[in-house]
Amino acid sequence: MLDFERKGIIVVTCFDRFSPYLEQEIIALGYTPTETYRTRVTLTGSLLDCMILNMHLRTASNVLFNLIDFPLHHIKDLYGKVKSMPWENYLARDGYFSVSSTVEHETVDNPLFANVTVKDAIVDRFREKFDVRPDTGSDFKGAVIQLFWKNNHASIYLNTSGETLVKHGYRMVPGKAPMMEALAAATIMASGWDRQSPFINPMCGAGTVAIEALLIATDRFPGIYRDHYAFQHLLGYDEKTYRQLKKQLYLKIKEVPVTIIASDISERAITASRMNAETAGVEELITFETGDFADTSIPEGGKGAVFLNPEYGQRLGEMEELEGTYKRIGDFLKQRCGGYAGLVFTGNMELGKKIGLKPKRKIPFYNGTLDCRLLHFELYEGTRRKTFLNPENT
């Protein structure tokens, strides 16, 4: 049986370019990262810490707990190494597990072969020892074993998340080309928004950015909306401990008077946004408006963030039409958003130039495989003035 308090190596994975924001989250939870790479952050911790990380992190993909590192020169040696491990201490005999692999080695031309090898080794160990075996499959509905093998070095982890953490569990109604929840959270963190001043989200689509802003501002963590993780299928898991951690999530919620406004010209989009916000339990805390983005309400005071995620355009006809839209975005920011921080997320920098403003920062992201930028514009009101930004977040 696993000791959930035994310390080991934890690897938290994320999408490329997310790691600076993931590192911020991990530090905010009281942990000390040991290494930070483009797609992962490592730290020392226990399976209990893995539970906490899974329930809190907004920008992570998976939380992995290291079982073993070993040299591996050929696929033929993998079966024996895996079979020698004490899987009966990790997995229930009548349980279910799946295997995922990331392999870069000359002896393997199909990573699925590595998956099958790991699965067969585990199953054969159970069958020989106990004459029974766990069920297996490709669905992440039970325990998840993760193999990483590059060059001649291999590692096996317990994937304590199972299904990816990038989906936060409240978005039941996707909009047109929706932004993934983890991406929305990362861009908000990158913006430097102080989590207190108004956050305005014209062109809100399915409402993901506006909802994530509200969740961040009020310390509503993703674990509130999810009740299934792979760590729940490991021997040594304690349901009472999990329920205590879940209760603590609700106790952390801050009811702060932050203004969040989301607008879209599409009534269908606003309906989807409202439904998603209702699932998240925050519909009453966000002001929804239907209409052209340029007519979105902008609170007086010249302090806050205006975040737009316009279409990027893939075909020539779309490009020509969107040039006018991007120019109007620039006019809107200049004429109505003085004192605010203007934030435009786009995967088309040629269109971004049509905004007609010089960005203070161009923060790189990927939306899927598309190279994108979060353009950050300082919008001065009259003379140059201090903006909403928290220096610690810039």
Side-chain angles (χ1 to χ4, degrees):
M1 183 178 294
L2 287 160
D3 179 358
F4 267 57
E5 295 187 4
R6 181 182 68 83
K7 298 292 185 180
I9 297 173
I10 297 173
V11 177
V12 186
T13 65
C14 61
F15 287 158
D16 195 5
R17 296 176 174 170
F18 280 26
S19 60
Y21 317 108
L22 175 59
E23 183 183 54
Q24 288 179 28
E25 288 193 275
I26 290 172
I27 292 172
L29 289 172
Y31 297 99
T32 302
T34 53
E35 293 178 301
T36 299
Y37 303 92
R38 285 179 62 118
T39 59
R40 67 189 187 278
V41 177
T42 64
L43 63 149
T44 299
S46 64
L47 283 168
L48 177 59
D49 293 315
C50 289
M51 293 171 65
I52 294 169
L53 292 165
N54 272 292
M55 299 171 74
H56 285 81
L57 295 175
R58 306 178 195 274
T59 62
S61 296
N62 294 103
V63 180
L64 312 176
F65 186 79
N66 180 269
L67 288 178
I68 189 171
D69 300 306
F70 56 95
L72 184 61
H73 301 279
H74 199 283
I75 186 65
K76 64 181 176 61
D77 300 319
L78 179 60
Y79 175 90
K81 188 64 180 180
V82 175
K83 190 178 178 184
S84 69
M85 297 173 64
W87 293 104
E88 62 275 12
N89 295 339
Y90 312 147
L91 310 175
R93 303 178 195 180
D94 59 350
Y96 176 99
F97 74 91
S98 53
V99 179
S100 180
S101 298
T102 301
V103 177
E104 294 181 31
H105 198 269
E106 59 185 7
T107 64
V108 180
D109 56 9
N110 186 345
L112 292 179
F113 183 55
N115 284 4
V116 172
T117 301
V118 172
K119 184 263 294 182
D120 287 347
I122 297 173
V123 165
D124 289 349
R125 181 179 176 93
F126 273 93
R127 185 183 287 116
E128 292 177 11
K129 277 184 165 290
F130 309 108
D131 201 29
V132 295
R133 51 154 292 181
D135 288 334
T136 63
S138 58
D139 295 330
F140 287 179
K141 63 181 183 181
V144 181
I145 312 303
Q146 185 85 43
L147 167 69
F148 285 97
W149 180 16
K150 184 174 182 180
N151 299 326
N152 293 320
H153 178 82
S155 300
I156 294 179
Y157 296 85
L158 295 172
N159 182 336
T160 65
S161 306
E163 292 291 345
T164 179
L165 300 174
V166 299
K167 299 178 181 179
H168 293 170
Y170 60 80
R171 195 174 70 185
M172 300 294 113
V173 187
K176 181 180 179 182
M179 180 183 282
M180 196 65 70
E181 293 96 304
L183 175 57
T187 56
I188 293 166
M189 293 176 66
S191 76
W193 178 51
D194 62 8
R195 308 182 185 190
Q196 299 175 7
S197 54
F199 188 94
I200 318 302
N201 182 211
M203 298 181 170
C204 70
T208 307
V209 172
I211 294 170
E212 285 294 325
L214 193 283
L215 300 184
I216 289 172
T218 59
D219 283 347
R220 285 174 164 86
F221 293 97
I224 291 173
Y225 309 107
R226 176 169 170 167
D227 239 343
H228 182 265
Y229 300 89
F231 61 69
Q232 294 169 308
H233 301 274
L234 299 173
L235 293 181
Y237 164 74
D238 179 52
E239 177 71 13
K240 183 178 179 181
T241 299
Y242 172 70
R243 289 299 161 192
Q244 290 173 341
L245 293 175
K246 185 92 168 182
K247 182 179 179 180
Q248 290 173 16
L249 292 181
Y250 287 97
L251 295 176
K252 289 180 179 181
I253 295 174
K254 298 185 300 186
E255 300 299 344
V256 295
V258 60
T259 298
I260 309 288
I261 299 174
S263 72
D264 202 284
I265 198 169
S266 165
E267 291 186 5
R268 179 176 295 181
I270 292 299
T271 298
S273 295
R274 286 186 179 277
M275 293 176 68
N276 290 330
E278 182 179 11
T279 303
V282 297
E283 182 190 3
E284 300 301 319
L285 303 178
I286 299 175
T287 300
F288 293 98
E289 300 178 354
T290 304
D292 185 78
F293 73 86
D295 297 325
T296 303
S297 298
I298 306 295
E300 295 182 1
K303 183 181 180 183
V306 180
F307 189 116
L308 297 95
N309 179 25
E311 294 183 34
Y312 311 153
Q314 301 297 321
R315 295 182 294 271
L316 181 59
E318 292 176 335
M319 285 283 291
E320 293 174 349
E321 182 178 344
L322 286 172
E323 284 182 3
T325 300
Y326 275 71
K327 183 180 182 305
R328 290 186 61 226
I329 288 173
D331 294 340
F332 165 67
L333 293 175
K334 285 183 290 187
Q335 296 168 11
R336 299 204 50 221
C337 304
Y340 279 76
L343 303 160
V344 179
F345 186 84
T346 182
N348 190 322
M349 287 305 296
E350 288 304 310
L351 285 174
K353 295 175 183 178
K354 302 298 180 181
I355 293 173
L357 297 169
K358 184 178 180 180
K360 177 185 178 182
R361 300 171 68 203
K362 301 176 184 178
I363 308 169
F365 284 98
Y366 283 110
N367 189 356
T369 59
L370 191 62
D371 189 17
C372 297
R373 295 293 183 275
L374 178 65
L375 305 178
H376 175 193
F377 303 98
E378 282 192 334
L379 308 171
Y380 302 112
E381 188 174 35
T383 58
R384 200 175 181 91
R385 54 173 292 174
K386 186 180 296 185
T387 67
F388 82 111
L389 287 181
N390 180 343
E392 295 181 358
N393 292 339
T394 57

